Amino acid sequence: MTERKPPGVSFESWVDRQIREAEARGEFTALAGAGRPLPDVTDAPYDELWWVKQKMAREGLSVLPPTLALRKEAEDALAAASAAPSERAVRRIVEDVNAKIRELMFKPPPGPPLGLKPYDVEEIVRDWRERRRTA
């Protein structure tokens, strides 16, 4: 809608005219979801952020407290370290996540406790070497 409501014209008739002209131009044909029923949300309590949550779900996003996000990152780092191609890569991955763990240990953010301590790099490298020998 690019034009402004002219003075002296009632808002309802101006809107009705806009809709009628858009229909005549075919702007309402082939809309996504046309002909399908609306999703049943009547039994859910009202949530003013429903559209934000739906958008995040469609985009595959999630928002976790910093401590939970770091727990997930640490878990992913251990998996990446075990699949790393070299000892140098294992050390870099574990040292990077250890730096983040130490930072949150000394400056705890709001939310649940971290519950992690820095990993023993040498132990993880030793485990990595063992898995390489047996594979």
Side-chain angles (χ1 to χ4, degrees):
M1 181 169 68
T2 58
E3 64 183 84
R4 296 180 62 114
K5 180 181 90 58
V9 176
S10 74
F11 186 75
E12 185 175 351
S13 64
W14 180 70
V15 170
D16 289 337
R17 184 176 57 90
Q18 297 283 323
I19 293 171
R20 190 176 55 257
E21 289 173 358
E23 283 178 329
R25 289 190 301 268
E27 293 181 17
F28 295 125
T29 57
L31 291 176
R36 284 184 260 150
L38 292 173
D40 187 22
V41 294
T42 56
D43 56 343
Y46 178 72
D47 181 8
E48 61 187 29
L49 295 177
W50 64 270
W51 64 274
V52 173
K53 292 176 182 175
Q54 284 184 356
K55 176 71 171 171
M56 289 177 69
R58 279 195 310 270
E59 299 292 328
L61 301 173
S62 67
V63 178
L64 292 174
T67 52
L68 295 181
L70 184 55
R71 284 187 202 176
K72 174 71 173 123
E73 186 177 344
E75 184 180 303
D76 293 345
L78 287 179
S82 69
S86 68
E87 186 175 314
R88 173 185 264 169
V90 173
R91 288 180 186 280
R92 182 183 48 77
I93 292 167
V94 176
E95 287 170 358
D96 287 349
V97 79
N98 276 349
K100 292 176 182 178
I101 290 171
R102 282 188 192 96
E103 182 180 339
L104 276 186
M105 284 174 66
F106 296 120
K107 297 185 296 183
L114 179 59
L116 285 178
K117 60 182 182 184
Y119 296 116
D120 182 349
V121 177
E122 296 306 317
E123 180 182 336
I124 292 173
V125 168
R126 201 171 25 258
D127 291 344
W128 179 84
R129 284 185 196 140
E130 277 299 313
R131 281 192 305 279
R132 290 290 179 155
R133 275 190 221 128
T134 60

